Amino acid sequence: MKPSKSPEAAVRYRSGAVARMLRMPVATLRVWERRYRLTQVELSASGQRLYTAADVQHLSLLKRLSDLGHAIGSLAALSQQQLQDVAATHAGALADKQPARARLDGRASAAKRPSLRVAVIGKALAARLQSPALLRGLGRPVQWLGPFEDAAQAQAALAGQPVDLLLLQQARLHETWPSELQAAAPSLASLPMALLYRFASESHCEGLAGAGKALLREPQNDSTLGQWLGGVMNVMTGSLSGLAAAGPDGTREPLPEAGSQIPARRWDDAALNDFASLSSTVACECPRHVAELLLQLTHFEAYSAECEDRSPADAQLHRYLRCVAAEARASFEAALAHIAVHEGLILPPTRA
């Protein structure tokens, strides 16, 4: 029996749609095809050229390399693998010009990170926290404490124990929830917190985010949950920057002052969105995921800066959150450069 074709294999795109995906004039695409016969496309009954997803991927790589200065005539006869080799060489050359930090092996860095102690409230999370897809997204060793039925049970069980992060599953986040958590578990309520919820008002979510809580609305698959939680662990604990680290006596270093250094962004939103859409044609989806995480981090960084200006009473806290987000963002920028070299993808130009 012949294997059935995937739905993607049956999809065909007309020249106009392909040109829009590649961000190039239809006339240029037609000239390329007529002059260099880049693909073996089918024709519709009306004579329209029909492209497969593989054709689009091939043309996308040709377009990116030609935009970087490679002559289309020198690329036209190359196979997809040969084009990817050219792209990898180009990406590697660009990476050599970046700071050494961008060339670090992310896996080696993750292996050196200390294990985090995460208190979990929500029995339904028990099985999910052992999911391979979730654990891959964390990028670091984690010691789960629990899960516990509720905050009071967690407070009693964890009395006197060090906890780095509180992961809490709460179906409904109503207005009185923070005060109820404070009353039931005062030692846990002040911890960095990641909240999984299903229903909550927009204004209440904004208030929680402004107070430094990380929120994710359910349902989500294990892979998405793991990637989100991995990002939260980096940002909320300050593990990448070392800011506000606890000392041996349990005290914390002073939060950063207003003049603290904030690393500049390497790419703007438009460049990251373009890269995410280009990288969606490769088998590995990590480039797109990291670009999307960078967008989330930069918007949280900007949000913290706005809160810093709006609320003088909490300015120092929001400055801290902004610095942690900026450090995490810089680390993910380095990770994106590393991934680009590995996958042979061309990164957008660095912001001036």
Side-chain angles (χ1 to χ4, degrees):
M1 176 182 293
K2 292 184 178 180
S4 60
K5 292 184 178 180
S6 65
E8 291 81 3
V11 175
R12 296 291 186 274
Y13 305 93
R14 294 192 176 189
S15 301
V18 173
R20 286 193 295 274
M21 284 189 278
L22 300 181
R23 298 181 178 90
M24 65 188 297
V26 177
T28 301
L29 177 60
R30 289 172 178 164
V31 168
W32 281 12
E33 288 285 17
R34 184 171 62 252
R35 187 172 299 171
Y36 303 110
R37 299 187 181 278
L38 300 174
T39 57
Q40 300 295 321
V41 299
E42 299 178 6
L43 295 178
S44 69
S46 60
Q48 286 272 0
R49 300 178 70 87
L50 300 176
Y51 295 83
T52 66
D55 292 331
V56 176
Q57 182 178 355
H58 184 73
L59 291 167
S60 174
L61 190 48
L62 284 167
K63 171 67 163 49
R64 279 184 282 150
L65 290 172
S66 67
D67 287 346
L68 290 166
H70 295 273
I72 184 64
S74 66
L75 301 172
L78 300 183
S79 67
Q80 183 72 358
Q81 182 58 57
Q82 290 171 324
L83 290 173
Q84 288 172 346
D85 291 342
V86 173
T89 301
H90 199 121
L94 291 178
D96 287 340
K97 299 177 182 178
Q98 300 292 341
R101 179 181 183 180
R103 301 193 298 272
L104 292 175
D105 188 332
R107 290 171 296 180
S109 299
K112 295 178 182 177
R113 295 177 187 171
S115 176
L116 287 181
R117 294 171 58 85
V118 180
V120 182
I121 299 176
K123 284 289 189 180
L125 290 173
R128 299 192 69 184
L129 295 179
Q130 303 306 320
S131 160
L134 183 144
L135 294 174
R136 281 194 298 271
L138 300 181
R140 65 188 308 148
V142 174
Q143 181 179 355
W144 303 117
L145 306 176
F148 304 101
E149 289 279 4
D150 52 38
Q153 185 187 58
Q155 170 86 8
L158 299 174
Q161 296 186 41
V163 179
D164 298 304
L165 178 70
L166 179 62
L167 172 61
L168 195 148
Q169 188 177 50
Q170 186 79 14
R172 297 172 298 281
L173 288 176
H174 47 77
E175 298 294 332
T176 60
W177 175 82
S179 59
E180 292 172 359
L181 177 64
Q182 178 67 41
S187 66
L188 300 179
S190 60
L191 289 171
M193 194 177 303
L195 287 167
L196 293 167
Y197 74 99
R198 287 182 180 270
F199 302 100
S201 69
E202 188 69 22
S203 61
H204 189 41
C205 287
E206 288 180 0
L208 290 171
K213 308 295 189 291
L215 295 96
L216 181 66
R217 187 171 185 176
E218 296 191 293
Q220 301 288 344
N221 61 38
D222 290 345
S223 177
T224 300
L225 178 57
Q227 289 176 359
W228 170 77
L229 190 54
V232 170
M233 288 175 179
N234 289 334
V235 175
M236 301 298 290
T237 65
S239 59
L240 291 175
S241 63
L243 298 175
D249 58 353
T251 61
R252 293 188 176 270
E253 296 294 328
L255 297 179
E257 298 297 332
S260 299
Q261 183 72 26
I262 299 289
R265 288 186 67 179
R266 191 180 294 186
W267 303 290
D268 59 22
D269 285 6
L272 288 172
N273 278 316
D274 281 347
F275 184 78
S277 64
L278 285 173
S279 63
S280 64
T281 60
V282 301
C284 176
E285 296 188 7
C286 288
R288 177 169 60 85
H289 292 323
V290 172
E292 290 169 350
L293 280 171
L294 273 170
L295 286 167
Q296 290 180 321
L297 280 170
T298 53
H299 285 290
F300 179 75
E301 182 183 345
Y303 178 79
S304 298
E306 292 169 359
C307 291
E308 182 183 347
D309 294 335
R310 283 201 302 261
S311 176
D314 295 329
Q316 199 174 25
L317 170 63
H318 290 121
R319 175 69 186 183
Y320 163 66
L321 293 173
R322 181 186 176 196
C323 287
V324 172
E327 287 289 334
R329 185 250 308 151
S331 293
F332 272 104
E333 286 174 338
L336 190 63
H338 182 83
I339 291 171
V341 173
H342 184 273
E343 294 293 334
L345 296 171
I346 307 303
L347 285 167
T350 301
R351 295 177 77 188

